[in-house]
Amino acid sequence: MTNPFQDERTAAARLPDDDVVALLLDQHARIRELFAITRRARGASRQRAFDELRALLAVHEAAEELIVRPVAKRTAGPEEADARNAEEREASEVLRKLEGMDVRGPDFEEVLAEFERAVGEHAEHEEREEFPAIVTHLMPDRRQAMGARLRRAEHLAPPHPHPSVAGSPAAVALTGPFAAMVDKARDAIGR
């Protein structure tokens, strides 16, 4: 089966402004970019890229959990929604493992590659199953209302981590590991 959202940004541009699917497709594209940047970077630059990736993933995961999955259960089916939730739980476990690692450590690249594969497969499932069902079954105004909820949480994923935090695993831990960032995003979206 072909992926109707193969080029995320092109597909997003065809949807109305602030459409939740367009916003999520843009996030998928940015997540893929951040994985590539993190892989190529070294030292403090790698830490900054990884921190930005974590923040975006926190907002993205919360948005999918609170905004997309309830609708996907009705449009794509409960099995589809449950499978995506299970993938997110598994990916969160790998991310927690990454958070405890030094980005300069020998195992970081291997675990990051595992995490990137899991996140990529998850995004492909969403783009192939969930998103087309949502576009087909929901009117644009409903998808835009969902997008507005997502926008409320996007400010929690800064384009760049605060300079005092970036590159310092201890500071990142104090300002919030992934689970804390997801909780903040959930609160911003509205549980």
Side-chain angles (χ1 to χ4, degrees):
M1 176 185 267
T2 63
N3 181 349
F5 296 115
Q6 193 66 35
D7 180 356
E8 296 95 343
R9 291 199 167 125
T10 300
R14 288 193 294 260
L15 295 168
D17 288 344
D18 290 332
D19 183 295
V20 71
V21 173
L23 295 173
L24 292 170
L25 287 169
D26 281 340
Q27 287 181 354
H28 281 185
R30 182 64 183 147
I31 288 165
R32 286 182 174 101
E33 289 171 355
L34 287 169
F35 270 115
I37 292 167
T38 303
R39 276 193 325 272
R40 287 190 312 264
R42 297 291 176 256
S45 294
R46 177 178 273 178
Q47 186 67 57
R48 283 190 297 276
F50 180 63
D51 291 345
E52 185 178 345
L53 175 63
R54 287 181 329 121
L56 179 53
L57 285 169
V59 170
H60 190 77
E61 180 179 309
E64 288 178 345
E65 175 188 330
L66 298 173
I67 299 170
V68 175
R69 292 292 133 59
V71 172
K73 280 187 179 188
R74 294 189 308 274
T75 60
E79 298 84 13
E80 179 66 27
D82 291 345
R84 299 301 69 82
N85 282 336
E87 289 169 355
E88 284 180 358
R89 282 190 300 276
E90 290 170 15
S92 292
E93 290 302 314
V94 177
L95 181 55
R96 278 192 257 303
K97 182 177 178 181
L98 279 166
E99 284 183 313
M101 300 174 86
D102 183 341
V103 298
R104 294 177 275 287
D107 298 331
F108 183 83
E109 286 186 33
E110 182 180 325
V111 177
L112 181 69
E114 172 191 345
F115 182 55
E116 183 176 10
R117 275 190 300 280
V119 169
E121 289 172 8
H122 172 76
E124 288 173 19
H125 286 284
E126 290 172 337
E127 293 168 7
R128 193 173 48 241
E129 305 297 331
E130 276 186 329
F131 295 173
I134 289 170
V135 169
T136 299
H137 291 94
L138 295 181
M139 297 299 292
D141 62 330
R142 174 81 166 102
R143 295 192 318 264
Q144 286 174 311
M146 293 167 66
R149 288 182 68 200
L150 172 58
R151 285 274 189 218
R152 285 196 296 268
E154 279 190 320
H155 73 279
L156 296 173
H160 303 288
H162 189 277
S164 66
V165 173
S168 169
V172 170
L174 291 173
T175 59
F178 182 71
M181 288 188 282
V182 170
D183 285 342
K184 288 177 187 175
R186 285 179 182 135
D187 290 342
I189 291 169
R191 293 181 199 233

